[in-house]
Amino acid sequence: MSFDREKLSGFLDGELSSEETREIELALESDPTLAAELEQLMAADSFAKQEFEEMLSEPVPLGLAAAVRNAPIEPSAPMASNNNRVQLRNRQAPWWSAVAAALALVIGSAGGYFTGLNTQPQIIAAAPGWLTDIADYHRVYSAQGRHLVEVDASESDHIETWLTNTVGADVVIPDLESHGLNFRGGRLLVAAGKPVAQMMYTDAAGQVVALCLIANPEPDDVFRSRQIGGFDMVTWGGGDANFVLVSDRGRDDLEAVARTAASSV
């Protein structure tokens, strides 16, 4: 199944209906070409924003400064008769029109970056883009050993307060000891341009399981199993956030762990 770029952009921006969103999600799970196209769209969006921010930090171009400086100022005039109004319309536009035109030229120079792109998604937690980021983080941090976490489990109260305030969604550390998982601490991540809370657990064999959440005012409460970036994942939503539990491949109880976590948060 194919989707045009406009539909994919709407998916990233959270502008589609729940039925359309689910249709694309299902297609992404079985169509690597579509997933790659979505990733390219997200990468292009990120690149465009970076380029535009750099452009804004540069000095005002001489051409724009000259256009503003040389723009004629239309003197105020008394109320015109019908005949005079025609003449006034034919006169040169007031100074602010020249400024607007000059600004349009400058902004237009960056317009090529934004063709077919959209602004940073506000409701993006259901998109695979954030899950791909989580997989990349897990690949790095799960191998860190001594530096597995940013803040140790001994500061659990601080972790919950800190991540709640930063992420913009309630962060509660679930007790997963019934599944043989011990809480080790937390980290702050950034995925799809939004802050993400990450809570790290390890089992007796040293395997790392991470629980991540991202703020989303319209969470998807359905539990779904996925395989992304070489890792097993279970995703769901609740409250004001979407969640993902991630581990190495082959952990048979991952959905059961996810349901326990969901009942705690």
Side-chain angles (χ1 to χ4, degrees), residues 41-43 62 70 92 98 111 116 119 141 168 171 180 200 207 225:
L41 185 62
M42 294 180 67
L62 292 177
N70 298 326
Q92 195 164 18
T119 55
Y141 289 136
V171 175
M200 307 286 268
Q207 183 184 37
S225 296

Side-chain angles (χ1 to χ4, degrees), residues 48-69:
K49 288 178 175 60
Q50 180 181 353
E51 291 291 319
F52 188 64
E53 289 173 358
E54 291 178 357
M55 185 190 72
L56 291 178
S57 66
E58 295 177 355
V60 177
L62 292 177
L64 174 59
V68 174
R69 183 175 61 251

Side-chain angles (χ1 to χ4, degrees), residues 183-255:
F183 179 60
R184 297 289 303 279
R187 281 187 176 277
L188 176 66
L189 310 177
V190 177
K194 297 180 67 175
V196 173
Q198 184 183 58
M199 290 158 277
M200 307 286 268
Y201 297 80
T202 57
D203 61 16
Q207 183 184 37
V208 178
V209 176
L211 172 63
C212 303
L213 70 89
I214 188 171
N216 189 336
E218 297 182 7
D220 180 2
D221 59 1
V222 178
F223 285 82
R224 296 190 177 93
S225 296
R226 308 169 184 265
Q227 291 184 343
I228 297 178
F231 300 105
D232 287 340
M233 295 184 177
V234 177
T235 60
W236 75 96
D240 53 359
N242 270 14
F243 299 81
V244 58
L245 191 70
V246 54
S247 75
D248 290 337
R249 291 274 180 91
R251 189 176 181 98
D252 297 333
D253 65 343
L254 197 62
E255 182 170 340

Side-chain angles (χ1 to χ4, degrees), residues 1-5 8-9 11-12 24-45 117 127-129 132 227-229:
M1 183 179 298
S2 62
F3 298 91
D4 58 30
R5 174 155 290 199
L8 289 177
S9 295
F11 174 69
L12 289 177
I24 292 180
E25 284 186 328
L26 289 173
L28 287 166
E29 292 177 0
S30 59
D31 188 345
T33 300
L34 181 64
E37 184 177 353
L38 183 67
E39 292 295 334
Q40 289 175 358
L41 185 62
M42 294 180 67
D45 189 29
L117 299 178
T132 301
Q227 291 184 343
I228 297 178

